[in-house]
Amino acid sequence: MRVLIAGGGIAGLTLAALLRQRGIAPDIVEASPNHDHQSHVLGLYPFGARVLHGLGMHRSFAAVSEPADDTSGLRWLARGDLLRLLERAGDDERLRMAVRVDTIAESGDRVVVRTSDGETRDYDLVVGADGAGSRVRAFVSPATDVFDTHWACWSWWTPRDGAGPSREFRDRAHALGLYATPRQRGVIACAPERSRRLAKLFTRFDDMAGDALSAAPGAAQMFHWRIADSRARAWRRGRAVLLGDAACAFLPTAGIGASLAMESASVLADELSRSDAAHVTSALAFYETRRRPRVEAAQDASRKRAKEMYPRGFFFAWKRNNMRNLSPDFSAQIAKLSAEPI
């Protein structure tokens, strides 16, 4: 079976490594020249991290991650560290960096793909794991639903320096998180999208927050994203299918996007392992049936929590600042995700 995975991020590399275990060696294209500039802090829950057991990478994952200060099993790590583990588990010789999908066309029982490096190849299956701005999604599902909080995040790294556990700070219109990993501390600053000068936004917070802000690099060295998500109205078209953020992108409200993307990759690999090239479309239908309700329910819960975390008014900000770290509804969603089979 000839497979192209568009996107060499968490979802794409997880799928590639799992397919190799099943005797399928996919081509992978990734638009970024390298993963260094995308190495912000992220959280991985046990329901996603357990995929690493099957890849023989869970011990290595534990060595580069740090447990969160709760009972959820969440662990913090650098996105780049997770990507390197997944590359080791797969075959990075088939990964072409700084290459993106240009065009996709159906041709009988094949999908013809032209990429930005001038190559044109035929595939039995194309997987769009190319993120929230997916080019494959434009082919599969031009109609997409978007949820926008009108807030934005900036992320960077500071030395850990033996400082204490992860902490979060909030006031009416800002939020700052400091998340410890074994070697450094990831910082995520959130504010309304119109905000500009970060240092002046967090003057009410304590010295620990002030130190993190004083260590903030220039804008070019920060990872910046709008706190908005998207949901494809269709997950598959013929022999093309969406995976991870390309299908259902998550807000950074509870760190569940990466975990669900790895789960989805595992399910897609499972269905493809019981198919041949002639029956790919049936495998994709089973994959969507198994994954779409679970993923979209989690996204709904994430959106609900976002309304609490990123308020647009004084009353809602007061309510947020007097909540526990996770609202009861979202805590229940995390427990449900951890308990349910996939």
Side-chain angles (χ1 to χ4, degrees), residues 234-249:
W235 278 35
R236 57 192 171 89
R237 172 182 169 183
R239 292 174 173 268
V241 69
L242 302 178
L243 176 67
D245 282 352
C248 199

Side-chain angles (χ1 to χ4, degrees), residues 4-316:
L4 172 68
I5 300 174
I10 293 169
L13 291 179
T14 301
L15 177 63
L18 291 168
L19 288 179
R20 279 195 63 80
Q21 289 185 335
R22 293 158 170 81
I24 301 172
D27 291 339
I28 315 162
V29 296
E30 166 56 42
S32 302
N34 56 63
H35 291 127
D36 295 340
H37 73 291
Q38 298 181 353
S39 192
H40 54 83
V41 65
L42 63 78
L44 205 61
Y45 282 98
F47 60 86
R50 63 180 176 171
V51 176
L52 295 169
H53 282 293
L55 294 174
M57 287 290 169
H58 198 273
R59 288 187 179 181
S60 299
F61 160 69
V64 297
S65 61
E66 187 86 2
D69 308 308
D70 57 30
T71 61
S72 67
L74 176 70
R75 298 184 70 93
W76 298 107
L77 76 162
R79 183 176 186 271
D81 286 342
L82 179 56
L83 292 174
R84 281 184 281 275
L85 291 179
L86 294 170
E87 285 179 1
R88 281 168 47 196
D91 180 9
D92 58 7
E93 291 184 1
R94 299 184 73 92
L95 172 60
R96 291 142 62 197
M97 301 295 291
V99 178
R100 68 175 70 238
V101 169
D102 275 347
T103 63
I104 303 174
E106 294 176 294
S107 178
D109 59 355
R110 294 287 186 272
V111 184
V112 181
V113 180
R114 182 165 60 86
T115 49
S116 59
D117 56 354
E119 295 278 348
T120 300
R121 302 183 186 181
D122 295 352
Y123 293 96
D124 300 304
L125 170 64
V126 173
V127 180
D130 46 346
S134 172
R135 291 199 170 192
V136 179
R137 187 178 62 209
F139 170 78
V140 172
S141 177
T144 302
D145 298 322
V146 176
F147 175 84
D148 193 346
T149 67
H150 302 285
W151 280 50
C153 279
W154 297 262
S155 180
W156 64 94
W157 292 99
T158 64
R160 180 161 180 179
D161 294 334
S166 301
R167 291 188 61 188
E168 292 181 340
F169 306 85
R170 297 169 182 164
D171 66 12
R172 176 183 173 184
H174 317 101
L176 182 72
L178 310 178
Y179 306 105
T181 71
R183 297 190 304 273
Q184 53 193 342
R185 189 178 297 277
V187 183
I188 300 180
C190 304
E193 210 167 15
R194 63 183 179 275
S195 304
R196 291 292 180 265
R197 301 186 65 182
L198 290 180
K200 289 189 174 181
L201 297 179
F202 300 93
T203 54
R204 299 181 185 179
F205 298 154
D206 67 14
D207 290 343
M208 187 177 179
D211 291 344
L213 288 163
S214 65
Q221 284 74 48
M222 289 185 183
F223 187 83
H224 170 266
W225 70 96
R226 292 171 57 220
I227 305 179
D229 71 19
S230 59
R231 176 183 293 186
R233 295 185 185 177
W235 278 35
R236 57 192 171 89
R237 172 182 169 183
R239 292 174 173 268
V241 69
L242 302 178
L243 176 67
D245 282 352
C248 199
F250 278 81
L251 303 163
T253 49
I256 59 175
S259 301
L260 285 165
M262 295 180 73
E263 262 196 354
S264 292
S266 180
V267 171
L268 181 54
D270 179 51
E271 292 297 342
L272 291 173
S273 73
R274 293 195 294 273
S275 178
D276 58 14
H279 299 92
V280 161
T281 55
S282 295
L284 302 185
F286 290 135
Y287 154 73
E288 182 177 6
T289 298
R290 289 173 63 182
R291 291 306 295 165
R292 189 167 184 171
R294 177 176 170 88
V295 171
E296 291 187 351
Q299 189 191 56
D300 288 340
S302 176
R303 289 175 170 182
K304 181 177 179 181
R305 186 169 190 247
K307 293 175 182 178
E308 300 169 342
M309 291 187 66
Y310 309 119
R312 303 185 71 182
F314 178 80
F315 171 75
F316 295 104

